[in-house]
Amino acid sequence: MTNNISLQMTKYRRHKTQQATVKWGLNTITIGGDAPIRVQSMTNTDTEDVIGTAVQVKELARAGSEMVRITVNTPAAAAAVPLIREQLDKMEVDVPLIGDFHYNGHTLLKDYPDCAKALSKYRINPGNVGQGAKRDLQFSQMIEMACRYEKPVRIGVNWGSLDQDLLASLMDANASLADPKDAREVMVEALIQSALQSAQKAVEIGMPSQQIILSCKVSAVQDLIAVYRDLASRCNYPLHLGLTEAGIGSKGIVGSTAALGVLLQEGIGDTIRVSLTPEPGAPRENEVIVAQEILQTMDLRHFTPMVIACPGCGRTTSTVFQSLASQIQSYLRQQMPTWKQRYPGVEAMNVAVMGCIVNGPGESKHADIGISLPGTGESPAAPVFIDGEKVKTLRGDNIVTEFEQIVQEYVDRRYGTHKN
């Protein structure tokens, strides 16, 4: 008996949301609707350090962050925000700044109107706007400031700072049920209710609903997926995705990719951030690169040409192809600030760097441009393929430099016809 196996490809469909706009100067970024899924990041400098913060914002923006969030936690930090914006404008960095407020945002926005104006968006955490009778008043004050200056807001709920009164109320109601839910389900519901109830309050105060973005962040992959699936089914606000406190190194990258990959494939998510704990000495912009690569490997957006490279095995000789793959990937990223202006479409180019004859020529033929280095026992020659055809064979000690030149010539020839 023969088993018939059919493969059905799942077509990607975006969850339809309203469209918000984030502005600074002539730069207007749309969020939600049919707009591209946006990459966001956050500084880890002391916001009171104007130059240090402005430099890091510039580095994040150069890496591809389309919005950058900064902490606004003290009067001095609030006073620094317009100075940071001024420095960025002098450097011709028009990336929008998002103010991250906790506990005292209502006071800082009121006392420092230049800060309120310089920011392009406010992040408000409903769990940290105040306690008891002060909560609604202080939340209202922040929303009123956003309305006054026509700024969108992200209502960002986090399970580490969840509204404890709401959670306690839901726990009590759950305990009285004949068949109570487990604590995890109640927590998920509390996150969602906090976001939705806060959004409704903002609308009642006068905030246009299309200028509200929601997030409900947790640090466990399955919980994040459950929260956002439910949230997406209950509203059409644009949603910001991120695994909070994702962690350091591969743990943070894998966790964020696993969670965001599932949700993005289901069409959920309008902006993303990968909340990596930086390795000691590692650049902050690594979180931007990971976010971009999640979107690019899922074919949702393209940011920079990607290098296809084999992992190596007993057939491959030394680490030459590993070094070449690394150098070529770095070369492509270094060129992109210039290339994206001169060569529209180059970000979708594929480059293959392979280590032996088994898959090397075939993979190189499938790429736009590829090189197959010699493996153990193979002739010391590296054939180069362009658009599926072998065009040249490289030999000697200058293969990296020669291949970079071939790549540049290919980019200029293929994409240079669209120069501005």
Side-chain angles (χ1 to χ4, degrees), residues 295-329:
L295 294 175
Q296 184 147 347
T297 54
M298 296 184 68
D299 202 28
L300 298 177
R301 287 190 70 183
H302 294 94
F303 300 93
T304 189
M306 297 292 284
V307 172
I308 301 162
C310 67
C313 67
R315 290 178 176 270
T316 54
T317 55
S318 70
T319 59
V320 174
F321 83 95
Q322 299 170 17
S323 298
L324 178 57
S326 177
Q327 290 178 62
I328 291 298
Q329 183 72 77

Side-chain angles (χ1 to χ4, degrees), residues 162 166-167 170 181 183-196 227 230 234:
L162 186 56
L166 174 60
L167 180 60
L170 291 177
K181 301 176 182 178
R184 173 179 171 274
E185 291 180 278
V186 178
M187 184 271 290
V188 167
E189 181 61 23
L191 285 163
I192 294 170
Q193 283 199 26
S194 179
L196 294 178
V227 168
D230 200 344
R234 293 161 67 173

